Amino acid sequence: MHTLAELLRYAGITSHKRTLLSIRQHTTNWGRSGRGVRHKPRYTVWYDTEDNNDRIVFTFEAVLNLKRTAPEKLADIDIQISHYSGWDPVKRRLTVTHPERYLKVDGMVEGGGEKTKALWQEIIALTEGMERDDKLSSYEITFLAA
């Protein structure tokens, strides 16, 4: 699974529509004195059905290169898939939590660098067609469906 379409098919997204996307910026440090610094953004994408009775949430995370255009060489993309269902109108929340699934797009396999870079470009392109909303959070960038 090296494309976004394959991941969506694997998660069972059929009639779901993208409703919210948030980007939270983190940094990771390493080295003797912690001078090696790379950005590690976390993209969280919500897919809801029309009746809001079913929600699938994707979380993508990768260590970026210095230019912040693609994952670092040999770096993996971590993917978490969460699935919620059973809207309760009294509690006003989804009541059923399905088991979470964890995937990793391996950047160390042969040709892995190109695959992780292509997948990351697809993830970044998810913001197209969405409206930025700065009122929801002060520590992350949020986009709402247009």
Side-chain angles (χ1 to χ4, degrees):
M1 284 178 266
H2 298 290
T3 66
L4 193 58
E6 290 174 349
L7 288 170
L8 297 178
R9 197 173 319 114
Y10 172 76
I13 293 182
T14 53
S15 62
H16 296 70
K17 295 189 177 173
R18 191 174 63 234
T19 55
L20 188 127
L21 184 141
S22 68
I23 305 169
R24 187 176 291 186
Q25 297 291 339
H26 297 283
T27 57
T28 183
N29 302 325
W30 68 89
R32 215 158 89 195
S33 58
R35 291 185 184 187
V37 178
R38 292 289 187 274
H39 290 271
K40 189 174 185 178
R42 176 182 295 163
Y43 281 71
T44 304
V45 188
W46 295 24
Y47 289 93
D48 288 329
T49 54
E50 288 291 326
D51 59 358
N52 292 329
N53 196 33
D54 196 49
R55 174 177 293 154
I56 297 176
V57 180
F58 277 90
T59 304
F60 303 97
E61 196 169 28
V63 176
L64 297 184
N65 59 14
L66 286 174
K67 295 179 183 178
R68 299 186 202 173
T69 57
E72 183 73 37
K73 287 183 182 177
L74 306 177
D76 302 330
I77 296 178
D78 298 322
I79 304 167
Q80 176 183 345
I81 304 171
S82 305
H83 185 191
Y84 308 98
S85 62
W87 176 257
D88 187 353
V90 176
K91 294 181 180 177
R92 297 181 50 111
R93 67 182 180 107
L94 295 165
T95 57
V96 179
T97 302
H98 302 275
E100 293 182 343
R101 292 176 274 179
Y102 298 92
L103 301 170
K104 185 175 286 213
V105 178
D106 193 0
M108 295 184 74
V109 297
E110 187 174 332
E114 292 83 22
K115 291 176 183 176
T116 56
K117 184 175 181 179
L119 177 60
W120 195 255
Q121 295 304 322
E122 287 185 77
I123 294 167
I124 291 172
L126 287 173
T127 59
E128 294 175 6
M130 299 186 82
E131 296 177 6
R132 185 173 174 157
D133 188 346
D134 294 324
K135 297 176 189 172
L136 289 176
S137 177
S138 61
Y139 57 89
E140 62 187 11
I141 302 168
T142 307
F143 294 89
L144 298 173

